[in-house]
Each structure stands twice: as C-alpha cells, then as structure tokens.
Amino acid sequence: TDNSICSVETQGIDRRPKLIEEINGIARDLGGEFTTLNFIEGTIGETHNSLFGTNELHQNAEKNTNSLDILIALHACDCATDDAIWFAIGRDADIIVTAPCCQHELRPQIDGHASNHPDHPLSDILRHAIYRERATETVTDAMRAILLEIAGYNTQVFEFIGGEHTAKNVMITATKRKERRGKEEEEAWLQERRRRLVELAQLYGIKRQRLAMLMGESIVSGGGRKPKVAVRNLSGMANL
C-alpha cells in the first residue's frame, strides 16, 4: 500500500497536563507518521474549533471524497460526552464514536419523578436505587441516540466490550446520513423523532438534558424548539 495516499492527523484533548506532555513527547521521539499526533490541555466544551482545523482544510477535505472527519470520545465523564457530540455535530463530522461514562445529569430528575409519582407505571422498578441508576444510564444514551438522528446521523448503540472488563461498555456510533428525503418526508420523520424524544423524557420526568439544550431541542411537551445555547461552538467553528 502506498502510504502517501493515506494520511491521518490526530488531535487529542485531555485535562491532565502530565499525561499530555508524556504522549506528545512519545510522539516526537517516534517521529515519522507520529508527528501528526498531538494533544492539547483543556475540555471539549471549552475548546475553540480553530484548534482542530481551518476552513481551508475543510474545503480541501470536501473535495477529497476519501477524506473523513472523525470524533472519538472514550469515557468522557457525564456531560462531557454531550459536549463532544455537540462539537462533532457543529463540525459536521462524518463519524462520531463515543463510549459514555458516569451519566449523572438525569439522576436527580429521575429520583424526584419516582418519589413524586408513586403510581407511576414503572414504580416497582424505579423505587429501587440500583434500577434508577441503570435507568439513568439507559435513558441518557437513548436520548443522545435520538438527538443524533435529529442532527442527521444514522445511529447505533451497542456493547463494545464484555462486562467482565468494565461496566461502562456501551458505545454510541453515528455516521452522517447520506441518503436524501423529500422535504415533506423529512419533516414528518423529524417530527416523529421529536415526539419520541419528548415521550421518553416525560416517562422518566426529564426536563433538562445537556445535548438537547445545546441543540435547541425541547424535551417538554408543547415546548417547541429553542435557540441554541452554545452558539459560539458554531460561530467560531471551522465546520471541518
């Protein structure tokens, strides 16, 4: 294989400066193909898009049908997974791969809903703390999957490693949808996805979810769409 036709540029981000210094040092020492591997210190929710490419790079990539923009977020804690997904959506990434971790955001809402609705159809499940914890993980990732579909991605959620290795073994993958629908068909499809999102949120008493907020998607019945909160993530983006 001619390596000249396959070039990979990898930009990583982490909050641990010592780890970043070590990885960048290894990459420099190895040289060659590893010179395109680089890590920066920070969080994905606070990172300016220019650190991950320019408009010129994006335009060049669009001309190359073999070019792919991929975001990978492994065990990004709690809402950091939402920030990573939103970052990828704003960049119009071709592929998104996330392994969520520590889905805490919805837990207080589910706890309160279960406590305030003793006649809830799932009361015999949600009255147990362990099941509320598991429901939090499942509902969080199910909502993310629907939101990714609304954003224009074909989405799958599956187990990517055995439970004996880690309990955090769920992966969400999303690929940019290529097929085109007619305007009316697309509107009906989006309306159905939004209906399902709202119904899922209502079942568990969810009124706030970070990715929905960032996308401007209401999860409350009759709420309609809201302006995007994190507009800076789009206005300053390269849309690679």
Side-chain angles (χ1 to χ4, degrees):
T1 303
D2 184 358
N3 290 331
S4 64
I5 65 173
C6 182
S7 175
V8 178
E9 295 186 17
T10 305
Q11 177 70 74
I13 183 168
D14 197 283
R15 299 177 64 178
R16 295 166 289 183
K18 185 177 180 180
L19 177 63
I20 293 169
E21 182 180 358
E22 181 181 353
I23 293 176
N24 287 338
I26 294 172
R28 287 193 300 269
D29 291 342
L30 290 172
E33 295 177 352
F34 290 93
T35 57
T36 58
L37 170 63
N38 181 61
F39 270 74
I40 60 173
E41 181 182 353
T43 63
I44 193 69
E46 300 172 348
T47 299
H48 193 278
N49 193 67
S50 62
L51 293 173
F52 291 83
T54 64
N55 283 323
E56 183 179 353
L57 285 174
H58 176 49
Q59 291 167 1
N60 291 337
E62 284 184 330
K63 294 177 183 178
N64 181 2
T65 57
N66 293 321
S67 177
L68 289 174
D69 190 11
I70 304 173
L71 180 134
I72 301 174
L74 298 180
H75 290 174
C77 189
D78 200 15
C79 293
T81 292
D82 300 296
D83 291 337
I85 293 173
W86 173 238
F87 187 89
I89 291 172
R91 288 175 63 86
D92 201 27
D94 299 289
I95 300 173
I96 303 172
V97 180
T98 67
C101 182
C102 306
Q103 298 96 322
H104 297 315
E105 182 192 17
L106 304 189
R107 178 62 188 273
Q109 298 179 68
I110 292 177
D111 284 350
H113 191 65
S115 176
N116 294 331
H117 296 82
D119 295 329
H120 190 280
L122 298 179
S123 61
D124 283 327
I125 297 174
L126 297 180
R127 66 190 177 94
H128 302 290
I130 182 62
Y131 287 145
R132 292 199 301 276
E133 179 180 347
R134 293 177 180 176
T136 298
E137 295 177 359
T138 301
V139 174
T140 298
D141 292 338
M143 292 180 71
R144 287 166 173 164
I146 297 174
L147 287 162
L148 277 163
E149 290 176 333
I150 292 172
Y153 289 84
N154 293 321
T155 307
Q156 290 184 307
V157 182
F158 57 91
E159 181 181 274
F160 72 97
I161 191 172
E164 66 272 18
H165 301 291
T166 175
K168 305 299 181 181
N169 61 349
V170 170
M171 179 168 284
I172 304 172
T173 62
T175 55
K176 195 68 178 175
R177 195 167 60 241
K178 302 298 183 184
E179 64 271 19
R180 301 295 181 185
R181 301 186 181 94
K183 183 177 180 180
E184 291 185 2
E185 183 183 1
E186 180 68 16
E187 285 298 324
W189 187 88
L190 285 172
Q191 186 176 356
E192 172 66 11
R193 287 299 180 278
R194 288 178 173 131
R195 181 187 65 79
R196 293 186 179 189
L197 179 67
V198 169
E199 288 182 354
L200 177 60
Q202 283 184 322
L203 181 62
Y204 288 90
I206 307 302
K207 293 181 173 58
R208 300 178 308 281
Q209 198 279 332
R210 184 166 179 82
L211 182 58
M213 177 191 70
L214 293 172
M215 289 176 58
E217 291 290 340
S218 174
I219 58 174
V220 178
S221 180
R225 297 203 69 205
K226 300 178 180 179
K228 295 181 179 65
V229 173
V231 175
R232 67 166 187 83
N233 275 354
L234 288 177
S235 60
M237 282 185 167
N239 281 330
L240 184 61

